[in-house]
Amino acid sequence: MLDATSTATRPVHAAADHPAIPKEKIGILLANLGTPDNYDYWSMRRYLNEFLSDRRVIDYSPWLWQPLLQLVILTKRPFTSGAAYKSIWNEEQSESPLMTITKDQTAAITEAMKGKYGDKVMVDFCMRYGNPSTKSKVRKMVEAGCRRILFVPLYPQQAGATSATANDEFFRALMDEKWQPAVRTIPAYFDHPKYIEALAKSVETAYAQLETKPDMLVCSYHGMPKRYLLEGDPYHCQCQKNTRLLKERLGWDDTQICTTFQSVFGSEEWLRPYTVEHVAHLAESGKKNIAVIAPAFASDCIETLEEINEEIKESFEEAGGERFTYIPCLNDQPAHIEALCDMIETEMQGWLVPA
């Protein structure tokens, strides 16, 4: 991360006791979903409590939901979720892969921005749930002299439970600032040409390393209740378009690529088809060699490294599947960083010019 703090100075003609003011700069604050601090019971419970108490994620009445969450779900789920995190944990750095990757993305964007704008820009990241909190990073940027902040939720598609709740938390953090910066938020970028190009290149690179081309590319997006779609959430439509644009860029037809949804939770109907069921159906119907990609995730995380690469893979193989290839998220791949930087610079237009 770029430490864009500089020696603060007292304004000209100011009184001797006037506080020093840092040099003005632009803040770019990346936001990812979040991660527990560790995979032990209490770390998992704190994280899951914050996540599952978000009304954007679970919109049931708190009078009904909170007793169930506190007395039932949070007594059991920290153990199972903790075991899943333990299976993918970055033990060397004592953090989850999502944290490691988000740091790497931030470092890459920092380098690109510093090369163009010098010390005019400060780049950092926060998490919607867990640490580092959005509030702490907004505070840090304001103290460093950021009079304008571009907030960048790392979600290609717009959804109430992802980018919207990240924005909510960002705006709540601003409520505590006496010197409130001017702000912008980045829009959904599922159809941005450079994002589609980066996604296509990742598929082409993965396929080039395989002896046999997969029978099907499964684009597995994080699921949500079908009710959210009917209430106006654009996520489902943007996922479908994302797959279509990727298909067109690859020059494929509908027999080579499909859209599915994973991570079903609770008893109500979610967006279909469910990935875990669909991959089994593919195997049973003769498609024994598939690849899976997760276009809704900017960074590999528990839903990709554990759910896709373990649970969903197991479902496919138990149904007779023979070759399962997981194509990693774009993470800090150069084409992904280039796409993100292009979107960031577009949204910063009028704020600054290259150094």
Side-chain angles (χ1 to χ4, degrees), residues 1-23:
M1 291 164 286
L2 172 61
D3 181 7
T5 57
S6 58
T7 303
T9 57
R10 188 177 296 110
V12 179
H13 307 305
D17 62 349
H18 192 290
I21 298 176
K23 181 180 178 182

Side-chain angles (χ1 to χ4, degrees), residues 26-221:
I26 308 298
I28 300 170
L29 184 56
L30 310 177
N32 220 326
L33 177 71
T35 170
D37 295 325
N38 210 316
Y39 48 76
D40 62 277
Y41 176 84
W42 289 108
S43 295
M44 290 304 310
R45 183 173 179 121
R46 283 193 300 272
Y47 174 73
L48 291 171
N49 182 51
E50 184 180 9
F51 176 45
L52 297 175
S53 293
D54 185 351
R55 294 296 305 280
R56 287 278 198 178
V57 175
I58 306 290
D59 64 352
Y60 302 146
S61 167
W63 294 101
L64 299 173
W65 174 244
Q66 281 299 321
L68 177 62
L69 176 64
Q70 301 300 328
L71 300 176
V72 180
I73 296 173
L74 291 181
T75 61
K76 299 178 181 179
R77 188 158 178 176
F79 291 109
T80 56
S81 294
Y85 269 99
K86 184 177 181 180
S87 71
I88 64 166
W89 201 254
N90 181 347
E91 296 290 356
E92 184 177 341
Q93 297 188 37
S94 299
E95 61 190 20
S96 73
L98 176 68
M99 178 68 77
T100 304
I101 292 165
T102 305
K103 286 179 178 178
D104 291 343
Q105 291 169 326
T106 303
I109 293 173
T110 294
E111 183 178 358
M113 292 294 115
K114 186 176 182 180
K116 266 194 171 181
Y117 303 105
D119 64 356
K120 297 177 183 178
V121 171
M122 175 181 180
V123 183
D124 210 337
F125 77 94
C126 63
M127 297 293 181
R128 171 60 184 89
Y129 313 105
N131 297 306
S133 69
T134 305
K135 182 177 180 178
S136 69
K137 289 307 179 83
V138 168
R139 179 92 284 274
K140 179 181 177 182
M141 284 191 159
V142 171
E143 289 178 341
C146 294
R147 299 291 167 250
R148 295 178 175 84
I149 298 177
L150 174 64
F151 189 62
V152 186
L154 293 172
Y155 305 104
Q157 304 83 19
Q158 160 71 39
T162 56
S163 48
T165 189
N167 287 334
D168 290 346
E169 191 70 3
F170 175 58
F171 292 126
R172 275 192 289 268
L174 293 171
M175 292 172 65
D176 292 331
E177 297 302 325
K178 288 183 171 60
W179 192 339
Q180 203 174 57
V183 301
R184 294 174 181 171
T185 62
I186 201 164
Y189 56 90
F190 67 96
D191 56 354
H192 191 284
K194 288 193 175 182
Y195 166 70
I196 295 297
E197 182 63 23
L199 209 56
K201 284 182 177 178
S202 73
V203 173
E204 291 170 339
T205 298
Y207 273 40
Q209 297 171 352
L210 301 174
E211 293 182 6
T212 306
K213 181 180 178 180
D215 302 316
M216 178 70 71
L217 175 65
V218 178
C219 295
S220 181
Y221 298 85

Side-chain angles (χ1 to χ4, degrees), residues 256-288:
Q256 298 169 285
I257 190 170
C258 65
T259 297
T260 64
F261 298 90
Q262 64 183 83
S263 308
V264 177
F265 177 80
S267 59
E268 68 177 304
E269 183 177 1
W270 281 43
L271 299 176
R272 289 181 181 271
Y274 299 154
T275 305
V276 69
E277 295 177 355
H278 194 69
V279 296
H281 173 71
L282 289 174
E284 292 165 353
S285 63
K287 296 187 184 300
K288 306 293 187 179

